[in-house]
Amino acid sequence: MIMSTLTEKRNLIGEIQDAFIERGLGGDSMRRQALDLFLTKGFPGPKSEEYKFTPITRLLEKVLDLNNVIRAEMISTPVSIPIDQLKCNLVAFVNGQFSKERSVLLDKEIRIQSEAAGDAKAESDPFDLLNQAFANEVVQISIDSKKSIQHPLAIVYYFDSPKFVFANPRWRCIVGSQSSVSLLEYVHGTAASIY
């Protein structure tokens, strides 16, 4: 006897559009433009060179839960990177949100400010457009010209929520001419975290 399991195919694009509307993000024209471009493109298919052999939709159907999304919560543990004796400038994102309180700058030449996202571009990657539509802010990290940053700059994404986190951190680093900085990204979370 052959048994089959019938599974309902999800409409992820529709779920994303509904979540965008439910969160009240449609009033921002730049976010709306990014979402519209994403809706036009959709998720990359198997013929997309960058995502060839990656079943994007199947993977997202397993984990994406836009009905059970949390907002950033304050955590009691410090955000750090688990590399012994490495002192870093730390830009922290906690449960997907930039945390000024958890960020630590050792080098005074580094400036951080939050700003609105720029215009979406039609040639952008679909995930970049999705990120731009849902990101709360763009964190701009700036270093002037002719500066040498002594400590590495660590971008740390920390997750500790037992609920699904639809994280959309967005940042850019602008380094002036003849300046240098070492940059690393690190994702850290509790075993129960889903993001």
Side-chain angles (χ1 to χ4, degrees), residues 68 70 73 160-165 190 192-194:
N68 189 24
I70 66 150
E73 299 171 358
D160 74 340
S161 174
K163 296 180 182 177
F164 177 78
V165 179
T190 62
S193 298
I194 305 169

Side-chain angles (χ1 to χ4, degrees), residues 52-173:
K52 200 174 265 190
F53 309 116
T54 306
I56 299 291
T57 305
R58 248 192 353 232
L59 292 170
L60 289 175
E61 284 175 341
K62 290 180 182 178
V63 297
L64 194 62
D65 181 5
L66 295 172
N67 295 319
N68 189 24
V69 176
I70 66 150
R71 297 253 181 236
E73 299 171 358
M74 286 309 297
I75 58 172
S76 57
T77 58
V79 174
S80 62
I81 57 170
I83 301 173
D84 291 337
Q85 300 174 356
L86 180 62
K87 289 185 178 180
C88 290
N89 295 288
L90 184 71
V91 177
F93 290 87
V94 177
N95 293 325
Q97 304 295 318
F98 172 63
S99 174
K100 186 176 181 179
E101 298 79 22
R102 300 287 178 176
S103 298
V104 178
L105 296 180
L106 303 175
D107 293 292
K108 63 180 186 213
E109 295 86 1
I110 300 174
R111 293 185 317 278
I112 298 178
Q113 63 188 41
S114 297
E115 57 186 50
D119 290 332
K121 295 176 178 52
E123 66 273 8
S124 294
D125 178 88
F127 290 107
D128 182 47
L129 294 169
L130 187 60
N131 174 264
Q132 189 169 349
F134 282 90
N136 288 333
E137 61 192 343
V138 177
V139 176
Q140 181 166 304
I141 304 160
S142 303
I143 300 167
D144 289 334
S145 298
K146 298 182 181 178
K147 301 291 180 187
S148 181
I149 304 304
Q150 178 184 356
H151 301 93
L153 176 60
I155 311 295
V156 178
Y157 309 100
Y158 181 83
F159 296 91
D160 74 340
S161 174
K163 296 180 182 177
F164 177 78
V165 179
F166 184 47
N168 289 280
R170 192 168 181 86
W171 61 271
R172 71 173 150 254
C173 186

